[in-house]
Amino acid sequence: METAAGVETCLPIRSDMDLVWVRQHVRQAAGRLGFSLVDQTKLVTAASELARNTLVHGGGGQMQAAHVVDGQVHGLRLAFGDEGPGITDLDRALSDGYTSGDGLGMGLGGARRLVHEFAIDSTPGAGTTVTVTSWATRPARPYGGA
């Protein structure tokens, strides 16, 4: 997989208004890349949850968005990073039904199911980065493993 040149964007996540900008940017970028309306909605929903987590639990941070290419397939990679307290129990945070009550009620596990690729790097006391990738022409894989 390679990143298309000159298409990377970095948006701050410091306020509720920034969450609106993140959602708007993701929807527009996915639309330009040929995502169906359903796939746009899935990615925007996941991005909204992850951006809110960055703001509420991480104390703010940023989202980096990049147009990625794998052969003839185009996608969007989003990385949400903060320097907050980190996640002490990743297994619990990723488990079905777990929510802190501050997001959309879908939690990290729900966001993971809405995208093709999901990775999380969290160090207690040093912050969290969640990176997701969705592809414009690939069906979402059902969650059944890493």
Side-chain angles (χ1 to χ4, degrees), residues 3-144:
T3 302
V7 189
E8 190 150 338
T9 303
C10 185
L11 296 175
I13 301 173
R14 300 270 177 231
S15 69
D16 284 342
M17 190 63 199
D18 291 335
L19 301 178
V20 173
W21 293 119
V22 164
R23 287 190 296 267
Q24 184 177 48
H25 176 80
V26 171
R27 176 151 327 264
Q28 290 174 349
R32 283 191 304 270
L33 292 175
F35 281 69
S36 70
L37 184 57
V38 169
D39 288 339
Q40 287 177 42
T41 302
K42 287 178 180 180
L43 185 56
V44 168
T45 301
S48 184
E49 179 75 10
L50 297 171
R52 179 156 298 282
N53 285 353
T54 299
L55 179 62
V56 172
H57 301 294
Q62 64 184 11
M63 178 196 75
Q64 293 180 319
H67 171 194
V68 292
V69 179
D70 187 4
Q72 297 295 315
V73 183
H74 294 265
L76 193 59
R77 181 179 58 224
L78 308 173
F80 297 85
D82 65 62
E83 296 178 0
I87 301 171
T88 56
D89 188 346
L90 274 176
D91 289 336
R92 181 174 177 226
L94 288 167
S95 67
D96 284 341
Y98 178 78
T99 180
S100 65
D102 293 313
L104 298 173
M106 63 188 282
L108 290 172
R112 176 173 57 182
R113 282 188 297 281
L114 293 172
V115 297
H116 294 105
E117 300 168 21
F118 181 98
I120 187 165
D121 180 26
S122 187
T123 303
T128 301
T129 299
V130 178
T131 305
V132 298
T133 305
S134 283
W135 298 98
T137 55
R138 290 186 186 162
R141 65 170 172 75
Y143 178 71

